[in-house]
């Protein structure tokens, strides 16, 4: 049921995270140098990537300091924040078929993490492929067209705060909330809905007990029985605080539930397995080692189009889970499909096709076969 690459590590990341939470935040904020020193100063398990149910994991690309990312399905490229710890933040693209990396644009603010969104279709005068990215540290959202030209989409949003000054932008792809944009600022615990003109529709401040929550991953879900009671809701997870996540009404911003994650805390990314056919892979960004490609996803038991995938970030690693609602038991089923340990911090994941062999490689392969046949005659 599992494939172990390198050495299977003993123990999980969650107990370690509780003891080393302060160090964890310090290392992530200090960049690659501090991360490397931290690796040497702690008894971290041997590097390992473990996959389950026949899923394969390979190191696909190694951009410098890779962090959050999304995929442009028309241009067949990833858009990602790279060179993390550089101010202002830097963004680049990676071609799906050639793996060529190119600088895309320079962002705004400090080097803090920015969860960006690439429009899958035209929206409100913005073309498909436009990247919506918050100012690092929060407060503003910019729209960057596919050529790298930026315009200000919204300003005056919650920014700064305490703890991790991370910010997130997500688009309502299902139209549950009029295809509006959603923004979160981890430093203040605020979640905001914005209309197509960048105007605030509602603002909700999330709290986890007596302290502000630290919202980071978000997703707006539509209608799908596989999402159970989360249908037509806004899910908001948080990183570095607890296992609490929030279920909001995307139309009003009302917090309907505060729940404890059954797979543990430190939720980092929510993604939906594509509804369309094709040979899909899951690309996982691990800060400190690179982007991993998970394939053979069809081997996952009972995987269906539209199923939810959830990523957790752990100290020097992370996990990827397959989650769906089982109507026969009225409960969620969770399956761990990948476990990264000692490789870096899992920062994001996104579905994209498995690249087809290029025509050049096909021609070279045919030429090689012809040469072999000639030699055998």
């Amino acid at each position: 049921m599992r494939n172990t690459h390198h050495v299977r590590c003993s123990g999980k990341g969650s107990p370690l995270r509780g003891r080393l939470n302060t160090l964890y935040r310090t290392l992530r904020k200090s960049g690659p140098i501090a991360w490397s020193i931290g690796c040497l100063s702690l008894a971290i398990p041997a590097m390992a990537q473990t996959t389950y149910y026949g899923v394969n994991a390979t190191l696909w690309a190694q951009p410098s300091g890779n962090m959050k990312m999304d995929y442009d399905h028309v241009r067949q490229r990833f858009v990602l924040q790279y060179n993390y710890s550089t101010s202002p933040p830097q963004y680049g693209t990676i071609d799906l078929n050639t793996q060529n990396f190119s600088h895309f644009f320079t962002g705004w603010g400090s080097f803090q993490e920015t969860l960006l969104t690439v429009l899958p279709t035209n929206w409100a005068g913005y073309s498909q492929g436009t990247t919506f990215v918050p100012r690092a540290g929060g407060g503003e959202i910019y729209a960057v067209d596919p050529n790298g030209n930026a315009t200000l989409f919204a300003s005056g949003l919650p920014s700064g705060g305490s703890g991790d000054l991370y910010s997130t932008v997500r688009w309502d792809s299902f139209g549950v909330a009029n295809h509006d944009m959603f923004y979160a600022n981890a430093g203040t615990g605020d979640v905001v809905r914005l209309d197509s003109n960048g105007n605030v529709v509602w603002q909700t401040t999330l709290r986890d007990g007596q302290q502000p929550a630290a919202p980071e991953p978000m997703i707006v879900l539509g209608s799908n029985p596989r999402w159970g009671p989360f249908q037509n809701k806004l899910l908001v997870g948080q990183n570095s605080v607890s296992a609490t996540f929030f279920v909001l009404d995307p139309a009003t911003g009302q917090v309907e539930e505060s729940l404890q994650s059954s797979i543990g805390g430190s939720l980092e990314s929510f993604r939906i397995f594509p509804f369309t056919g094709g040979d899909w892979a899951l690309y996982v960004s691990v800060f400190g080692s690179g982007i991993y490609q998970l394939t053979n996803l069809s081997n996952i038991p009972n995987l269906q189009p539209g199923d939810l995938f959830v990523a957790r970030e752990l100290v020097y690693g992370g996990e990827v889970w397959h989650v769906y609602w089982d109507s026969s038991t009225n409960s969620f089923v969770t399956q761990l499909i990948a476990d990264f340990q000692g490789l870096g911090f899992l920062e994001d994941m996104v579905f994209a096709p498995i690249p087809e062999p290029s025509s050049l490689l096909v021609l070279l392969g045919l030429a090689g076969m012809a040469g072999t046949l000639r030699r055998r005659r």
Side-chain angles (χ1 to χ4, degrees):
M1 290 179 61
R2 76 183 188 193
N3 300 325
T4 302
H5 306 269
H6 305 300
V7 180
R8 171 65 177 165
C9 305
S10 60
K12 288 297 200 183
S14 50
L16 181 64
R17 184 185 186 96
R19 297 192 300 268
L20 301 177
N21 191 48
T22 301
L23 175 62
Y24 163 81
R25 292 190 180 196
T26 301
L27 292 179
R28 287 183 68 195
K29 290 180 179 180
S30 301
I33 295 177
W35 185 91
S36 300
I37 295 173
C39 286
L40 296 175
S41 63
L42 293 171
I44 299 299
M47 293 188 295
Q49 59 192 48
T50 304
T51 55
Y52 302 83
Y53 308 111
V55 172
N56 289 329
T58 57
L59 182 58
W60 183 76
Q62 290 184 289
S64 174
N66 52 283
M67 291 293 291
K68 309 301 183 182
M69 64 181 188
D70 206 354
Y71 182 67
D72 182 341
H73 69 94
V74 171
R75 291 161 190 82
Q76 296 187 315
R77 67 183 187 183
F78 298 92
V79 177
L80 73 158
Q81 183 180 357
Y82 76 101
N83 274 350
Y84 185 66
S85 78
T86 299
S87 296
Q90 305 294 306
Y91 300 87
T93 63
I94 301 178
D95 186 274
L96 176 68
N97 298 298
T98 65
Q99 298 181 349
N100 287 338
F101 174 86
S102 299
H103 175 77
F104 188 20
F105 65 92
T106 298
W108 305 265
S110 64
F111 66 87
Q112 301 289 346
E113 295 179 19
T114 52
L115 281 76
L116 53 86
T117 288
V118 177
L119 282 182
T121 186
N122 297 337
W123 173 68
Y126 295 97
S127 64
Q128 183 283 326
T130 296
T131 299
F132 283 81
V133 59
R135 175 187 176 90
E140 299 172 341
I141 301 174
Y142 291 84
V144 184
D145 72 20
N147 297 315
N149 303 307
T151 56
L152 182 65
F153 173 71
S155 61
L157 303 175
S159 63
S162 61
D164 295 330
L165 307 183
Y166 305 153
S167 45
T168 303
V169 175
R170 286 292 182 259
W171 183 63
D172 169 21
S173 60
F174 293 102
V176 176
N178 199 36
H179 295 293
D180 280 351
M181 197 70 70
F182 289 82
Y183 165 88
N185 183 62
T188 60
D190 288 297
V191 176
V192 180
R193 174 185 168 188
L194 303 111
D195 64 21
S196 57
N197 294 313
N199 300 316
V200 174
V201 177
W202 55 253
Q203 177 178 332
T204 298
T205 302
L206 302 177
R207 299 195 65 84
D208 187 2
Q210 298 302 311
Q211 62 183 348
E216 188 170 344
M218 294 194 300
I219 191 168
V220 181
L221 297 176
S223 299
N224 184 349
R226 302 281 283 186
W227 299 330
F230 296 160
Q231 293 182 82
N232 303 307
K233 305 299 181 184
L234 170 65
L235 298 187
V236 183
Q238 52 177 340
N239 188 285
S240 304
V241 175
S242 74
T244 302
F245 70 101
F246 304 89
V247 181
L248 279 68
D249 181 342
T252 65
Q254 179 182 353
V255 179
E256 297 187 345
E257 290 184 288
S258 299
L259 303 172
Q260 294 297 301
S261 166
S262 63
I263 63 174
S266 304
L267 303 183
E268 191 72 10
S269 182
F270 300 131
R271 296 290 183 179
I272 295 173
F273 189 74
F275 286 95
T276 57
D279 200 0
W280 296 100
L282 183 61
Y283 295 81
V284 182
S285 177
V286 179
F287 172 72
S289 59
I291 298 174
Y292 290 81
Q293 182 194 62
L294 303 186
T295 55
N296 288 349
L297 301 180
S298 59
N299 290 334
I300 299 173
N302 203 23
L303 175 64
Q304 295 184 22
D307 281 0
L308 190 64
F309 279 65
V310 180
R312 298 179 63 214
E313 181 183 18
L314 303 174
V315 176
Y316 304 111
E319 300 170 344
V320 177
W321 292 77
H322 169 226
V323 179
Y324 66 92
W325 178 259
D326 184 349
S327 58
S328 65
T329 61
N330 286 325
S331 62
F332 281 103
V333 176
T334 58
Q335 298 170 324
L336 177 63
I337 66 165
D339 184 5
F340 300 86
Q341 296 189 30
L343 295 169
F345 298 101
L346 193 161
E347 294 295 341
D348 209 346
M349 60 181 180
V350 64
F351 286 100
I354 296 174
E356 296 290 339
S358 69
S359 56
L360 176 60
L361 292 176
V362 171
L363 290 174
L364 290 174
L366 292 175
M369 292 174 59
T372 301
L373 291 174
R374 285 195 296 269
R375 286 193 297 271
R376 288 181 176 179
R377 286 179 178 176

